Amino acid sequence: MVILEAKNVAKSYGGLKVLTDVNFEVNKGEIVGIIGPNGAGKTTFMNLISRLTSITGGIITYKGEIINDKKPHEIARMGIARTFQVVKPFGGLTVLENVMVGAFYGKNNAKSKKEAISIAEEALQIVGLIDVRDKDPRVLPLAKRKKLEVARALAMGPELLLLDEVMAGLSVKELDEMMTEIIKLKQKGITIIAIEHVMKAIMGISDRIVVLHLGKKIAEGKPEEIVKNQDVIEAYLGSKYAKKE
Amino acid sequence: MINKKLILFIVFVIVLTALPFVISGYWLRVLTQTFLFGAIATGSNIIIGFTGYPAFGNIAFFGIGAYVTGVLTTKYNMPFFYTLPFCAISGIIVASLLGIPILRLKGHYFAIATVGVMETIKELVDNMTELTGGGPGLTLPIMQGEPEYIYKFFYFIMPGVMLFSLLILFIVSKIKQGYALRAIRVDEDAASVMGINTPVYKTFAWAVSAALVGITGGVYAYWLSYIDPHTVFGGTYPVKMFAMILLGGGTTVIGPMLGAFILELISEIVWSKFIAIHGMVLGLLIIFIILFLPKGLFETFKGGFSFKKLFNNLKENRL
Amino acid sequence: MILQILVNGVLLGGFYALIGVGFSPVWGVTNIINLAHGAIALLGSYITYYMFQNLHLDPFLTLPVSFVCLYIFGYPVQRYLMNMVVKAQIFMLLILTFGLEIFLVNFMTTFFSADFRSVTPEYAGKSIEIAGVVIPYIRLAVFAICMVVTAIMGFFLEKTWTGKAIRATSLDLEAAMMTGISPKKIYSITFTSGSALAGLSGSLLSLTQAFSPNIAGGLALRAFIVAILGGLGRVEGAFLGGLLLGVIETLSAFYIGESYKNAIAFGLMVFMLIVKPSGLLGRKYYAEVKH
């Protein structure tokens, strides 16, 4: 079953085209990785889905409903949660309280504080942050702050989770942990779109990979197909290298 | 810990209640003025400190409240207490109408837009001579009774308003909506993708703040029994209010009130000694706070007082 | 009649343009909204006033004096005050400049008194009449000086290396630093020249109207309106914004009433902020820029 569909999606700022004619589908329960060199339009695409920026062409549908004119908070209530590349925890709130905000306002829409706490605790349990629940998130190391981002998104009760470079800057051990977490989320039935720079990680967990380059989709397929794709190699390494292959 | 705070708070209230029977009329007035600022700073903090929107011109609602009470008591002979709900309602209406367009602005643009609103309302009040008395001001009916009694009356009403604002701020900090406001303060995009309808929450915060500051304005008008547009809309109020919030710490519930106590009492001591240069000292004091105490007194000296911390603050934001 | 009003508006607008030209680049480059701009301008007014009153100097000859004096004044203010907080939250800077404004206004009230002053050389009343429009010589001269200074400022920003560095810094601080531009120097030049221009405009102000320390706030807000109308940091924007504000003010004073002049100016500012915060010519909305 298709949960998210992008049809001819385009985004431009004035004359500058950031995305042109991007088409693809995401099925329920899948992990789709979006990769591409810097400036490929990955984060822009994610901002279009969460509606932080306006769509200038094409349509995006979520569960059969066109979401072009929805507001960010409406998208969240529909069950789409996301993380940010630059981690900004809500300072002044503890780790638990940060996650509670997600429980209060996401699809879960907790009515009482008690309910929000129990949802938040569960999310912290899943990502393994329960032991730092009362800390100020600003003192946590990067890996834990990234996990906090994931927990905050989880507490919203999402059906579709957008992960924006949650693995960037992690050590090998932390990377493995994060990969395990993401697989666990998939097993819970959450559909995931992950933008990633770390190639090994994304290839290891994704069912399908979409490659963006200069605002266009240049390839799509299973991870093992993508690594052999000439266009992709060219986009990443330049044409000289591709020819030598 | 919470009990300790509660005990301290009860002691504070008891001391307040006992004071008027001990101190002179002059100090009663000074304290009433201090509570007035405590109420303004606390009420404004919902939008400024909690939500992170520097509503520089929030004093507009103070002026609106003052004039609502002024006009209702003089032109419509309404008893003072009945006018207060109208002060709150007018604040809520103005904040709600302006909130959606103006709260889209960020940073200085928002700050200056609120100043623009304040100045525009001031000029309008200044021009609506028939209703408001215009530039020369409006004289309210003076409260009946002995001066002693009147002093004490306002001495109790003013902290009443302040404590009421404090209570509202405390409630807001505990409920679901309070979490939304603090999320907005840190990162509005992150807040909105978590399902928070940010325009609505920001407007809500501004409206609550406007209502509280409006009520304070109403009490002020009846207390001084004379208001004019240039005093109640602006003057040194906005910058004093901001300095108080900064000094006490805008992210806390009681910070702004404590900031008001400190700044107002200092400025009163300065005023009584050097009338001529009072304004200059106020300006310098504000510059000092921004340079050395931008994080607030309590946040800076959490682990004890030292001059080194002041200079660390100074170094932090320099180019 | 309408022609006379328009001419008056344009003449006033020239002065507003100069106020804006001093104010707007400071905002654009250093992210400081200098609420003390009006108070600094008034320091210039007092320089002219006292030199005219005590030394009997022609007020126009005092212009370079107030320019230089306030250039010198601006340097320590920038170096030891503004620089200390440029990286803090935006409203800290606002309050800091407001604190400076309160200090300066009270300083002037204490030492120069709150009385309204004016500078009236013997040729003050003389005027020229063209097609029924009366133009006082002084206003014409003030207008001409404002235009020339605005043009020089435009030329400076557009053509000289320093000017280009200033514009680069306002567009992208980090990129500018990578090309070897020192932000400290740029901030200092921008602020001090803004302060010098404020002093100059204050001197000119003293020739056209009565002034007292209490008009400082109104002047600063007008500088702000000009910057908002025209778009930040741009000389041609300040020029356009100044003329617009001047004409709108005189027109509304005539048709709606002198006393509504301020209400309309501030209302216009709020309206502009809501509809197009980047200004009529502006392309960039600076609120998100963090230094």
Side-chain angles (χ1 to χ4, degrees), chain B residues 285-300:
Chain B
L285 203 60
I286 283 158
I287 292 171
F288 177 85
I289 291 172
I290 299 291
L291 290 182
F292 294 99
L293 292 165
K295 284 186 239 158
L297 215 49
F298 305 104
E299 180 72 22
T300 305

PDB file of all heavy atoms in Angstrom, chain B residues 285-300:
ATOM      1  N   LEU B 285      22.469  52.119  34.089  1.00  0.00           N
ATOM      2  CA  LEU B 285      22.101  50.865  34.760  1.00  0.00           C
ATOM      3  C   LEU B 285      21.660  49.829  33.723  1.00  0.00           C
ATOM      4  O   LEU B 285      22.049  48.655  33.783  1.00  0.00           O
ATOM      5  CB  LEU B 285      20.962  51.160  35.729  1.00  0.00           C
ATOM      6  CG  LEU B 285      20.763  50.213  36.897  1.00  0.00           C
ATOM      7  CD1 LEU B 285      21.996  50.191  37.757  1.00  0.00           C
ATOM      8  CD2 LEU B 285      19.552  50.633  37.711  1.00  0.00           C
ATOM      9  N   ILE B 286      20.872  50.287  32.771  1.00  0.00           N
ATOM     10  CA  ILE B 286      20.381  49.378  31.738  1.00  0.00           C
ATOM     11  C   ILE B 286      21.549  48.879  30.876  1.00  0.00           C
ATOM     12  O   ILE B 286      21.650  47.686  30.579  1.00  0.00           O
ATOM     13  CB  ILE B 286      19.296  50.073  30.900  1.00  0.00           C
ATOM     14  CG1 ILE B 286      17.999  50.088  31.708  1.00  0.00           C
ATOM     15  CG2 ILE B 286      19.075  49.356  29.577  1.00  0.00           C
ATOM     16  CD1 ILE B 286      17.031  51.112  31.300  1.00  0.00           C
ATOM     17  N   ILE B 287      22.446  49.794  30.531  1.00  0.00           N
ATOM     18  CA  ILE B 287      23.622  49.398  29.759  1.00  0.00           C
ATOM     19  C   ILE B 287      24.441  48.369  30.549  1.00  0.00           C
ATOM     20  O   ILE B 287      24.875  47.347  30.032  1.00  0.00           O
ATOM     21  CB  ILE B 287      24.483  50.631  29.400  1.00  0.00           C
ATOM     22  CG1 ILE B 287      23.723  51.514  28.418  1.00  0.00           C
ATOM     23  CG2 ILE B 287      25.827  50.211  28.817  1.00  0.00           C
ATOM     24  CD1 ILE B 287      24.362  52.863  28.151  1.00  0.00           C
ATOM     25  N   PHE B 288      24.573  48.617  31.845  1.00  0.00           N
ATOM     26  CA  PHE B 288      25.317  47.690  32.702  1.00  0.00           C
ATOM     27  C   PHE B 288      24.680  46.301  32.700  1.00  0.00           C
ATOM     28  O   PHE B 288      25.366  45.288  32.565  1.00  0.00           O
ATOM     29  CB  PHE B 288      25.373  48.250  34.138  1.00  0.00           C
ATOM     30  CG  PHE B 288      26.050  47.330  35.106  1.00  0.00           C
ATOM     31  CD1 PHE B 288      27.427  47.343  35.246  1.00  0.00           C
ATOM     32  CD2 PHE B 288      25.304  46.429  35.862  1.00  0.00           C
ATOM     33  CE1 PHE B 288      28.057  46.483  36.133  1.00  0.00           C
ATOM     34  CE2 PHE B 288      25.923  45.565  36.748  1.00  0.00           C
ATOM     35  CZ  PHE B 288      27.307  45.595  36.882  1.00  0.00           C
ATOM     36  N   ILE B 289      23.361  46.273  32.824  1.00  0.00           N
ATOM     37  CA  ILE B 289      22.670  44.968  32.854  1.00  0.00           C
ATOM     38  C   ILE B 289      22.915  44.204  31.556  1.00  0.00           C
ATOM     39  O   ILE B 289      23.223  43.008  31.567  1.00  0.00           O
ATOM     40  CB  ILE B 289      21.152  45.161  33.087  1.00  0.00           C
ATOM     41  CG1 ILE B 289      20.903  45.668  34.508  1.00  0.00           C
ATOM     42  CG2 ILE B 289      20.405  43.840  32.873  1.00  0.00           C
ATOM     43  CD1 ILE B 289      19.465  46.071  34.757  1.00  0.00           C
ATOM     44  N   ILE B 290      22.795  44.903  30.429  1.00  0.00           N
ATOM     45  CA  ILE B 290      22.980  44.230  29.147  1.00  0.00           C
ATOM     46  C   ILE B 290      24.415  43.730  28.998  1.00  0.00           C
ATOM     47  O   ILE B 290      24.655  42.632  28.507  1.00  0.00           O
ATOM     48  CB  ILE B 290      22.648  45.181  27.977  1.00  0.00           C
ATOM     49  CG1 ILE B 290      21.199  45.621  28.049  1.00  0.00           C
ATOM     50  CG2 ILE B 290      22.947  44.533  26.637  1.00  0.00           C
ATOM     51  CD1 ILE B 290      20.215  44.545  27.761  1.00  0.00           C
ATOM     52  N   LEU B 291      25.371  44.516  29.448  1.00  0.00           N
ATOM     53  CA  LEU B 291      26.765  44.126  29.287  1.00  0.00           C
ATOM     54  C   LEU B 291      27.160  42.995  30.234  1.00  0.00           C
ATOM     55  O   LEU B 291      27.801  42.030  29.838  1.00  0.00           O
ATOM     56  CB  LEU B 291      27.698  45.324  29.535  1.00  0.00           C
ATOM     57  CG  LEU B 291      27.700  46.435  28.496  1.00  0.00           C
ATOM     58  CD1 LEU B 291      28.702  47.503  28.878  1.00  0.00           C
ATOM     59  CD2 LEU B 291      28.035  45.886  27.113  1.00  0.00           C
ATOM     60  N   PHE B 292      26.772  43.131  31.490  1.00  0.00           N
ATOM     61  CA  PHE B 292      27.307  42.213  32.492  1.00  0.00           C
ATOM     62  C   PHE B 292      26.329  41.150  32.966  1.00  0.00           C
ATOM     63  O   PHE B 292      26.739  40.121  33.467  1.00  0.00           O
ATOM     64  CB  PHE B 292      27.816  43.004  33.706  1.00  0.00           C
ATOM     65  CG  PHE B 292      29.002  43.863  33.394  1.00  0.00           C
ATOM     66  CD1 PHE B 292      28.857  45.215  33.135  1.00  0.00           C
ATOM     67  CD2 PHE B 292      30.266  43.302  33.337  1.00  0.00           C
ATOM     68  CE1 PHE B 292      29.946  46.003  32.835  1.00  0.00           C
ATOM     69  CE2 PHE B 292      31.369  44.084  33.042  1.00  0.00           C
ATOM     70  CZ  PHE B 292      31.205  45.437  32.777  1.00  0.00           C
ATOM     71  N   LEU B 293      25.045  41.416  32.831  1.00  0.00           N
ATOM     72  CA  LEU B 293      24.085  40.452  33.365  1.00  0.00           C
ATOM     73  C   LEU B 293      23.023  40.037  32.342  1.00  0.00           C
ATOM     74  O   LEU B 293      21.842  39.965  32.675  1.00  0.00           O
ATOM     75  CB  LEU B 293      23.380  41.043  34.596  1.00  0.00           C
ATOM     76  CG  LEU B 293      24.230  41.248  35.835  1.00  0.00           C
ATOM     77  CD1 LEU B 293      23.527  42.165  36.818  1.00  0.00           C
ATOM     78  CD2 LEU B 293      24.524  39.908  36.486  1.00  0.00           C
ATOM     79  N   PRO B 294      23.441  39.750  31.107  1.00  0.00           N
ATOM     80  CA  PRO B 294      22.398  39.448  30.120  1.00  0.00           C
ATOM     81  C   PRO B 294      21.634  38.175  30.451  1.00  0.00           C
ATOM     82  O   PRO B 294      20.516  37.991  29.989  1.00  0.00           O
ATOM     83  CB  PRO B 294      23.188  39.288  28.817  1.00  0.00           C
ATOM     84  CG  PRO B 294      24.562  38.939  29.230  1.00  0.00           C
ATOM     85  CD  PRO B 294      24.778  39.628  30.547  1.00  0.00           C
ATOM     86  N   LYS B 295      22.246  37.294  31.244  1.00  0.00           N
ATOM     87  CA  LYS B 295      21.554  36.041  31.568  1.00  0.00           C
ATOM     88  C   LYS B 295      20.706  36.188  32.816  1.00  0.00           C
ATOM     89  O   LYS B 295      20.049  35.250  33.236  1.00  0.00           O
ATOM     90  CB  LYS B 295      22.582  34.932  31.804  1.00  0.00           C
ATOM     91  CG  LYS B 295      23.191  34.417  30.520  1.00  0.00           C
ATOM     92  CD  LYS B 295      24.078  33.230  30.834  1.00  0.00           C
ATOM     93  CE  LYS B 295      25.474  33.511  30.391  1.00  0.00           C
ATOM     94  NZ  LYS B 295      26.463  32.686  31.083  1.00  0.00           N
ATOM     95  N   GLY B 296      20.772  37.348  33.436  1.00  0.00           N
ATOM     96  CA  GLY B 296      20.010  37.530  34.663  1.00  0.00           C
ATOM     97  C   GLY B 296      20.882  37.315  35.875  1.00  0.00           C
ATOM     98  O   GLY B 296      21.904  36.643  35.824  1.00  0.00           O
ATOM     99  N   LEU B 297      20.447  37.917  36.955  1.00  0.00           N
ATOM    100  CA  LEU B 297      21.202  37.881  38.194  1.00  0.00           C
ATOM    101  C   LEU B 297      21.321  36.464  38.746  1.00  0.00           C
ATOM    102  O   LEU B 297      22.382  36.025  39.148  1.00  0.00           O
ATOM    103  CB  LEU B 297      20.438  38.758  39.201  1.00  0.00           C
ATOM    104  CG  LEU B 297      21.194  39.565  40.205  1.00  0.00           C
ATOM    105  CD1 LEU B 297      22.301  40.345  39.554  1.00  0.00           C
ATOM    106  CD2 LEU B 297      20.222  40.520  40.898  1.00  0.00           C
ATOM    107  N   PHE B 298      20.214  35.740  38.709  1.00  0.00           N
ATOM    108  CA  PHE B 298      20.182  34.442  39.395  1.00  0.00           C
ATOM    109  C   PHE B 298      20.891  33.369  38.593  1.00  0.00           C
ATOM    110  O   PHE B 298      21.581  32.522  39.153  1.00  0.00           O
ATOM    111  CB  PHE B 298      18.734  34.068  39.693  1.00  0.00           C
ATOM    112  CG  PHE B 298      18.048  35.138  40.474  1.00  0.00           C
ATOM    113  CD1 PHE B 298      17.145  35.993  39.865  1.00  0.00           C
ATOM    114  CD2 PHE B 298      18.369  35.337  41.811  1.00  0.00           C
ATOM    115  CE1 PHE B 298      16.553  37.015  40.576  1.00  0.00           C
ATOM    116  CE2 PHE B 298      17.781  36.362  42.527  1.00  0.00           C
ATOM    117  CZ  PHE B 298      16.875  37.205  41.911  1.00  0.00           C
ATOM    118  N   GLU B 299      20.727  33.423  37.280  1.00  0.00           N
ATOM    119  CA  GLU B 299      21.407  32.454  36.430  1.00  0.00           C
ATOM    120  C   GLU B 299      22.925  32.675  36.502  1.00  0.00           C
ATOM    121  O   GLU B 299      23.700  31.732  36.579  1.00  0.00           O
ATOM    122  CB  GLU B 299      20.897  32.628  34.991  1.00  0.00           C
ATOM    123  CG  GLU B 299      21.502  31.692  33.965  1.00  0.00           C
ATOM    124  CD  GLU B 299      21.008  30.262  34.098  1.00  0.00           C
ATOM    125  OE1 GLU B 299      19.914  30.071  34.685  1.00  0.00           O
ATOM    126  OE2 GLU B 299      21.708  29.358  33.627  1.00  0.00           O
ATOM    127  N   THR B 300      23.336  33.955  36.517  1.00  0.00           N
ATOM    128  CA  THR B 300      24.763  34.257  36.543  1.00  0.00           C
ATOM    129  C   THR B 300      25.423  33.822  37.852  1.00  0.00           C
ATOM    130  O   THR B 300      26.499  33.252  37.850  1.00  0.00           O
ATOM    131  CB  THR B 300      24.989  35.774  36.350  1.00  0.00           C
ATOM    132  OG1 THR B 300      24.337  36.168  35.149  1.00  0.00           O
ATOM    133  CG2 THR B 300      26.460  36.109  36.250  1.00  0.00           C
TER     134      THR B 300
END
